[in-house]
Amino acid sequence: MGMDLEYVPAPVRPRLHRRMTQEIRRRIRGTYHYDTTVWRTAIAGLWIVCFLAFTTAVLGIPTGLGVPTDIALAAGTSTILLAIVSNIIAVLIALTGLRIPRLFAGCVLSDFGAILLILYYADFEIEAAALIAVLLSLLGALGGLAIGLLRSKRVTLGLLLTLTVTFSQLALANGVQELPTLEPIDISDSDVIALAAANPAQPGNQAYQTFTYASGKDLHRTEYGKDTNVISSTVDATGYIKNWSKLRTLFWGFDYSALPLNGRVWVPEGDGPYPVVLMVHGNHMMEDYSDGGYSYLGELLASRGFIAVSLDENFLNYSAWSGIPDNDFKVRTWIILKHLEQLADFSDEPGNPFYQKIDFTNTALLGHSRGGQAVAMAADADRWFKNDSVMKAVDRFNIASVVALAPTDKTIDDQQARLKDVNYLTLQGARDGDVHDFYGDRQYIRTSYSQGSSAFKSSLYIADANHSQFNSDWGAYDQTLPAGLFLNRAQIMEADKQRQIAKVYVSAFLETTLHGKDEYQSLFRDYRSGLKWLPETTYYNRFQDGGYRPVATFDEDRNKNTVNLGTAEASGLSWSEELAKDRESKSKATYGVVLERTAKKDEKAYYNIKLKDSVVTEMALSDADGLTFSLANLNGDIKDELSIPLPPNVEVELTDKNDTSARLPLSEVMDILPLPQTQFTLFPWLEERINDGKYGDLSEAVFQTYEMPFEQFQEEEPELEPENLTEITFYLEAEEDKIMLDDIGFYDLGIRNTF
C-alpha cells in the first residue's frame, strides 16, 4: 500500500532589492531617533552662526533695498537653506547607520559648508576658509549644546560648555598679535616753531547755503530726485563705456547713454567770486552711496570762502549683482570734466545759484581712493581727452591744486598723470587695508615744477590712519564684509581724529594755494609746526617746490659714482642705487641710494658728494637757504621685525672751497623715526591667505624730507661759506645703520613770498 505525501513548497524569500528598500525605509524613518531634546535645542546655536554668516555676506553685497530688508533676507535664506540642507544630510547619515544625532550633525556640516563658501568667494584661500569654517561651526555647536544642556537642567555640564566656549573666544582674541606701537613725536625740546595762524580745521566766518543739482529723476535719493534744487544735464558716455549690466540699468533707471551730473553743493553767501573745489569719492559698494561722506569738508570749506561740490559717481561703482562698468577710471575722470562744463554753464545763467560766483582762475580737485587718481588724471586731462569736446569748457578753469586721499595709481591706456606746476597734496594711512601701498607717493614723484614756481607738492604718511575713515559714510572697515571682520582694527585711530587730520591739511592747503595765505605753508614743509592741531600719532612728510635745486636725484643713470651736479664716493659702507619699493616689492618708479654701514666700530662710514666747479653749481647755490634731502629709515629691513629697531645715527657735513667744514647730527634738525609696521589681519597666518596675499611686507620705503638751514651749520662753524660749497657728506655712525637717500639738493625760502 502506498503512502500519499503532501507537497509543501519552500518559503519564498523577498527579492534582494525589496529587502534593501525595506531597510532604507526603516533607516529613513529612524533619521531623527538620536536627536533628543538636548540635541534639537542645540541646533539654535548653529542657526545663530548660520544667520550671522549670511548676514555679514549680505551686508557685504547689499541689495540697495535697505539694511532691514537685507537682514530679513539673510534670516530667511539662512533658515531655509539650513532646514533643507541639514535634513538632506541627516537622511544621508541615517542611511549609513551611524548612531549619532543626525539632524544636529547635518546642521554642523551645513554651517561648515555655508561659511566655507562665503569665505572662499570673499577671497580667502581654501585652507583659511576651511579652518575658520571649522572653528565657527564648532563654536556654534558647543554654544548650542550648552543651551540644550541648560534647558534640560543639566546645569553643571551646561556651565562647563559655556565656559569652554567663552574661553575659546578669549583664546582666539589673545592670539591676535599686535606689532609695537610707535610713540607720537615729542617736539617740546626742539627748535620747531609752532604756526601762529588760526586752526585751519575750525569753521570760518563765512555764512553759506547748501543744495543739490541733479537730473531730478533719481530712483533712490530724493535729494537728486524730486527735492533737487537745480536741474542739470545728463551726459552720454557711449564713447567710453561698452559693458553696462542690465541689472545696473534696472537699479538706476538709466544706462551709460544718459549718466546724470549730480552734486551736493556748499556755497558761501555773498557776491563772490569764490574758488571752486570739486570732491569725488572712490569705489565703494554701488548700493551704499558715498558722496555724502565729505560733508565735513564741504561745510568747513564753504565757511572759509570756497564753493565745495561733492560729486555723485556711485553709478560707476562696483556691485556684487552687476559688476563694474569698463573703463571706470577713465569715465570717473571724464565725469569730473563734465561737471566742470556744467558749472561753467550754471555760472553764465542769471538766476542760477552759481551765477557769477565762480572764480575760474582758482580751481581745486579733491579725490579719495579711485577718486584720488581720477582728480590727478583730470588735472592732466589732455593726456586722455585731447580730442573730446569737453576740453573747450574745461580750459576755462585753471586747476591750480589737487588733493588725493589714499589714492590708487593704475596705468590707464599705458599712461599715468604727470602734473606740472600744479599744487599737489596726498595723505595716506599706514593701516590702510584697501589701498595698502603708498600710491600717492608715486604721483608725488611724477609732479614737477619749473624753477622759481610758487607751486609745491607735499605728502603726509599717517601711522594709525586707515582707508575708509576719510569718508564719514564708509564705516570702520577697509574691506567689505565678511573679509572686513578679519582685519585688525586694534591700532587704528578714531574716525573723528582721522577726519581732523584731513580737515587741517585740506583746509590749510587750499587756503595757501587758492586764497594765497602764506602763513600755513610751513605745515607742508614740516608737519611738526602744526602738531597742536593734530591728533597724537606718528607722521612722515615730504615737500618740494619751485625753489628746489637738485644735486642728486639718482634717476639720471645707473652709475652710482655720478650724480646730477657732481660725483659720489663712499667708504665703510655698502652702497648702491636702487628702486624705492612698496610693501609688495613693486617699484615706486624712483631711484635712491641705499647706504648700509659695514665699517668697524671706530672706523668712519660716509657717503660723499663732490660738487662740480661750474656755473650750474653756482646757480643752484644762489639764494639757497639750506640743504634738503629725503631719507627713508631702513633699519630693521622693514620685513619681519616684531620690535622697533634703534634709529640710524646720521650726521651731515658741508665743506666749502676753503676746506672749511661744519658737521651736524641730523637729530638736531629732526629725529629719524622708525617706520610703522602694519599687520593688516587679525592673525599673522591669515596675512598671506586673504586677498591673494596682497599685503606683502610689514612696511615700505617711506621718505621724510629734511631741511637743514645753512645758518645752523654756520652756528657750528662761522667761517663756512654756503655759497661756495664743494662737498656734502653723510656719516652713518651706528653699527649696521641702513638708510635710503633721494632728492638731495638745496631749497630757497624766498619762493614763499610769491604767494
Side-chain angles (χ1 to χ4, degrees), residues 47-237:
W47 179 86
I48 291 172
V49 169
C50 188
F51 165 67
L52 293 176
F54 273 89
T55 298
T56 56
V58 171
L59 292 179
I61 52 172
T63 62
L65 301 176
V67 172
T69 301
D70 289 345
I71 292 176
L73 178 63
T77 304
S78 60
T79 301
I80 293 170
L81 286 180
L82 186 64
I84 294 173
V85 177
S86 61
N87 277 280
I88 292 173
I89 295 175
V91 170
L92 294 176
I93 294 174
L95 292 175
T96 67
L98 286 176
R99 298 180 179 183
I100 61 173
R102 294 151 182 169
L103 183 60
F104 178 81
C107 288
V108 172
L109 293 174
S110 298
D111 269 15
F112 170 79
I115 296 168
L116 175 68
L117 289 175
I118 288 170
L119 294 179
Y120 180 73
Y121 285 105
D123 287 334
F124 284 70
E125 291 188 7
I126 189 66
E127 64 267 32
L131 177 61
I132 294 169
V134 166
L135 292 174
L136 292 180
S137 299
L138 286 177
L139 282 175
L142 291 174
L145 189 55
I147 295 172
L149 290 170
L150 290 172
R151 183 188 175 194
S152 64
K153 298 183 180 180
R154 301 181 192 177
V155 177
T156 303
L157 283 175
L159 289 176
L160 283 174
L161 271 180
T162 302
L163 290 173
T164 300
V165 172
T166 302
F167 282 114
S168 297
Q169 293 173 336
L170 291 175
L172 287 173
N174 289 332
V176 177
Q177 182 177 343
E178 297 292 349
L179 296 178
T181 302
L182 301 180
E183 293 297 326
I185 185 68
D186 181 10
I187 62 168
S188 57
D189 297 326
S190 73
D191 295 327
V192 177
I193 300 174
L195 288 171
N199 185 348
Q202 290 298 313
N205 299 322
Q206 185 79 52
Y208 62 90
Q209 59 177 318
T210 182
F211 60 89
T212 60
Y213 64 81
S215 65
K217 299 178 181 179
D218 194 280
L219 298 179
H220 305 284
R221 296 160 295 176
T222 58
E223 64 269 33
Y224 293 145
K226 63 183 180 63
D227 293 339
T228 193
N229 303 88
V230 179
I231 299 299
S232 60
S233 305
T234 60
V235 296
D236 184 356

Side-chain angles (χ1 to χ4, degrees), residues 236 240 334 337-338 341 385-395:
D236 184 356
Y240 301 104
W334 184 73
L337 303 180
K338 297 301 287 187
E341 183 180 61
F385 304 101
K386 185 176 183 179
N387 298 319
D388 195 302
S389 60
V390 73
M391 293 303 300
K392 295 177 182 178
V394 171
D395 288 342

Side-chain angles (χ1 to χ4, degrees), residues 252-274:
W252 289 108
F254 57 80
D255 63 13
Y256 56 86
S257 66
L259 302 181
L261 297 178
N262 301 336
R264 299 176 186 269
V265 185
W266 297 265
V267 177
E269 293 181 359
D271 296 332
Y274 301 104

Side-chain angles (χ1 to χ4, degrees), residues 409-430:
D409 189 56
K410 294 182 180 294
T411 300
I412 307 300
D413 293 347
D414 298 323
Q415 299 187 85
Q416 293 177 301
R418 295 185 176 274
L419 305 182
K420 178 73 172 179
D421 294 334
V422 174
N423 298 289
Y424 183 73
L425 171 67
T426 184
L427 276 59
Q428 175 76 32

Side-chain angles (χ1 to χ4, degrees), residues 179-437:
L179 296 178
T181 302
L182 301 180
E183 293 297 326
I185 185 68
D186 181 10
I187 62 168
S188 57
D189 297 326
S190 73
D191 295 327
V192 177
I193 300 174
L195 288 171
N199 185 348
Q202 290 298 313
N205 299 322
Q206 185 79 52
Y208 62 90
Q209 59 177 318
T210 182
F211 60 89
T212 60
Y213 64 81
S215 65
K217 299 178 181 179
D218 194 280
L219 298 179
H220 305 284
R221 296 160 295 176
T222 58
E223 64 269 33
Y224 293 145
K226 63 183 180 63
D227 293 339
T228 193
N229 303 88
V230 179
I231 299 299
S232 60
S233 305
T234 60
V235 296
D236 184 356
T238 303
Y240 301 104
I241 297 178
K242 303 301 179 188
N243 298 320
W244 180 279
S245 167
K246 291 181 179 179
L247 284 176
R248 188 172 289 264
T249 300
L250 180 65
F251 182 85
W252 289 108
F254 57 80
D255 63 13
Y256 56 86
S257 66
L259 302 181
L261 297 178
N262 301 336
R264 299 176 186 269
V265 185
W266 297 265
V267 177
E269 293 181 359
D271 296 332
Y274 301 104
V276 65
V277 183
L278 300 190
M279 304 180 292
V280 60
H281 58 80
N283 182 37
H284 193 58
M285 297 304 295
M286 178 185 79
E287 299 85 355
D288 186 18
Y289 316 119
S290 302
D291 51 295
Y294 308 105
S295 295
Y296 71 99
L297 289 175
E299 294 166 357
L300 173 65
L301 295 176
S303 75
R304 288 179 161 267
F306 300 92
I307 297 173
V309 185
S310 182
L311 310 186
D312 169 30
E313 294 190 353
N314 289 284
F315 46 83
L316 298 176
N317 278 355
Y318 173 79
S319 169
W321 312 104
S322 59
I324 192 168
D326 57 325
N327 276 332
D328 79 290
F329 280 94
K330 202 167 178 179
V331 179
R332 287 172 196 275
T333 305
W334 184 73
I335 290 292
I336 296 171
L337 303 180
K338 297 301 287 187
H339 274 274
L340 290 175
E341 183 180 61
Q342 180 68 84
L343 290 174
D345 291 341
F346 284 159
S347 71
D348 295 333
E349 182 182 316
N352 190 287
F354 290 100
Y355 181 60
Q356 295 186 346
K357 278 202 168 187
I358 295 177
D359 178 2
F360 289 94
T361 65
N362 280 312
T363 301
L365 305 178
L366 180 151
H368 181 195
S369 195
R370 292 196 185 196
Q373 177 174 344
V375 293
M377 291 173 63
D380 189 23
D382 273 348
R383 193 174 297 275
W384 291 275
F385 304 101
K386 185 176 183 179
N387 298 319
D388 195 302
S389 60
V390 73
M391 293 303 300
K392 295 177 182 178
V394 171
D395 288 342
R396 188 173 174 183
F397 292 84
N398 174 41
I399 300 176
S401 303
V402 171
V403 181
L405 308 177
T408 57
D409 189 56
K410 294 182 180 294
T411 300
I412 307 300
D413 293 347
D414 298 323
Q415 299 187 85
Q416 293 177 301
R418 295 185 176 274
L419 305 182
K420 178 73 172 179
D421 294 334
V422 174
N423 298 289
Y424 183 73
L425 171 67
T426 184
L427 276 59
Q428 175 76 32
R431 304 193 186 282
D432 189 323
D434 185 1
V435 182
H436 56 288
D437 291 310

Side-chain angles (χ1 to χ4, degrees), residues 379-514:
D380 189 23
D382 273 348
R383 193 174 297 275
W384 291 275
F385 304 101
K386 185 176 183 179
N387 298 319
D388 195 302
S389 60
V390 73
M391 293 303 300
K392 295 177 182 178
V394 171
D395 288 342
R396 188 173 174 183
F397 292 84
N398 174 41
I399 300 176
S401 303
V402 171
V403 181
L405 308 177
T408 57
D409 189 56
K410 294 182 180 294
T411 300
I412 307 300
D413 293 347
D414 298 323
Q415 299 187 85
Q416 293 177 301
R418 295 185 176 274
L419 305 182
K420 178 73 172 179
D421 294 334
V422 174
N423 298 289
Y424 183 73
L425 171 67
T426 184
L427 276 59
Q428 175 76 32
R431 304 193 186 282
D432 189 323
D434 185 1
V435 182
H436 56 288
D437 291 310
F438 189 6
Y439 289 134
D441 204 22
R442 297 181 182 181
Q443 184 61 62
Y444 175 98
I445 292 165
R446 295 197 305 272
T447 300
S448 61
Y449 300 99
S450 305
Q451 188 68 50
S453 170
S454 61
F456 67 89
K457 59 182 178 179
S458 181
S459 70
L460 186 72
Y461 194 69
I462 310 160
D464 295 322
N466 75 339
H467 190 78
S468 63
Q469 291 179 163
F470 285 121
N471 183 304
S472 62
D473 288 343
W474 280 9
Y477 298 102
D478 287 348
Q479 294 286 330
T480 56
L481 299 178
L485 293 176
F486 295 89
L487 295 185
N488 185 5
R489 288 191 41 80
Q491 295 173 315
I492 294 174
M493 64 170 50
E494 296 173 9
D496 59 341
K497 291 182 178 179
Q498 184 165 331
R499 290 193 278 274
Q500 172 71 8
I501 297 171
K503 288 196 289 187
V504 167
Y505 267 84
V506 170
S507 176
F509 181 71
L510 297 178
E511 290 280 19
T512 302
T513 61
L514 299 188

Side-chain angles (χ1 to χ4, degrees), residues 440-746:
D441 204 22
R442 297 181 182 181
Q443 184 61 62
Y444 175 98
I445 292 165
R446 295 197 305 272
T447 300
S448 61
Y449 300 99
S450 305
Q451 188 68 50
S453 170
S454 61
F456 67 89
K457 59 182 178 179
S458 181
S459 70
L460 186 72
Y461 194 69
I462 310 160
D464 295 322
N466 75 339
H467 190 78
S468 63
Q469 291 179 163
F470 285 121
N471 183 304
S472 62
D473 288 343
W474 280 9
Y477 298 102
D478 287 348
Q479 294 286 330
T480 56
L481 299 178
L485 293 176
F486 295 89
L487 295 185
N488 185 5
R489 288 191 41 80
Q491 295 173 315
I492 294 174
M493 64 170 50
E494 296 173 9
D496 59 341
K497 291 182 178 179
Q498 184 165 331
R499 290 193 278 274
Q500 172 71 8
I501 297 171
K503 288 196 289 187
V504 167
Y505 267 84
V506 170
S507 176
F509 181 71
L510 297 178
E511 290 280 19
T512 302
T513 61
L514 299 188
H515 279 162
K517 292 186 177 181
D518 190 33
E519 60 263 35
Y520 289 118
Q521 199 189 57
S522 293
L523 175 67
F524 305 102
R525 304 189 83 101
D526 188 340
Y527 68 88
R528 297 176 300 172
S529 65
L531 280 181
K532 61 183 179 180
W533 304 322
L534 299 170
E536 285 192 351
T537 186
T538 307
Y539 300 92
Y540 311 77
N541 82 274
R542 298 182 81 179
F543 177 88
Q544 198 175 101
D545 63 6
Y548 167 70
R549 293 87 180 272
V551 169
T553 62
F554 307 105
D555 294 319
E556 75 286 354
D557 58 38
R558 300 281 61 81
N559 183 350
K560 68 178 183 179
N561 297 108
T562 62
V563 296
N564 302 61
L565 293 186
T567 58
E569 63 179 10
S571 177
L573 302 169
S574 66
W575 61 301
S576 59
E577 291 186 1
E578 298 181 14
L579 279 168
K581 295 182 179 179
D582 60 24
R583 294 178 189 273
E584 299 172 86
S585 297
K586 294 180 180 177
S587 167
K588 289 192 173 188
T590 187
Y591 282 84
V593 62
V594 175
L595 311 176
E596 184 171 12
R597 181 184 169 97
T598 56
K600 296 180 181 179
K601 184 176 181 179
D602 297 326
E603 295 177 343
K604 288 184 178 181
Y606 62 84
Y607 173 72
N608 173 264
I609 295 175
K610 288 183 170 58
L611 299 175
K612 294 177 181 176
D613 184 12
S614 67
V615 175
V616 175
T617 304
E618 291 176 8
M619 290 178 62
L621 286 165
S622 176
D623 298 321
D625 291 293
L627 174 72
T628 181
F629 53 89
S630 292
L631 183 150
N633 176 4
L634 300 186
N635 271 14
D637 213 15
I638 71 173
K639 290 184 182 293
D640 300 309
E641 292 293 323
L642 297 179
S643 60
I644 299 175
L646 293 174
N649 183 359
V650 178
E651 296 187 1
V652 182
E653 183 178 68
L654 300 182
T655 304
D656 65 18
K657 66 179 183 180
N658 302 316
D659 288 332
T660 302
S661 297
R663 181 168 167 175
L664 290 175
L666 186 54
S667 59
E668 288 192 11
V669 175
M670 180 184 287
D671 289 330
I672 301 177
L673 301 179
L675 291 177
Q677 299 177 345
T678 305
Q679 178 187 296
F680 289 100
T681 57
L682 289 172
F683 308 100
W685 185 80
L686 265 181
E687 201 83 351
E688 296 179 2
R689 293 171 175 83
I690 185 172
N691 290 313
D692 297 322
K694 74 173 187 177
Y695 291 122
D697 295 333
L698 296 175
S699 190
E700 62 181 294
V702 177
F703 289 97
Q704 167 68 50
T705 295
Y706 296 83
E707 293 185 342
M708 304 187 73
F710 287 148
E711 61 184 25
Q712 202 161 341
F713 286 95
Q714 288 177 306
E715 290 174 5
E716 184 73 18
E717 175 50 73
E719 299 299 318
L720 181 72
E721 298 179 3
E723 68 277 11
N724 293 313
L725 293 182
T726 57
E727 295 183 39
I728 304 167
T729 308
F730 295 86
Y731 293 89
L732 271 59
E733 296 293 280
E735 187 177 357
E736 296 183 349
D737 274 352
K738 186 176 183 181
I739 63 174
M740 188 175 198
L741 293 173
D742 196 10
D743 293 337
I744 302 171
F746 305 112

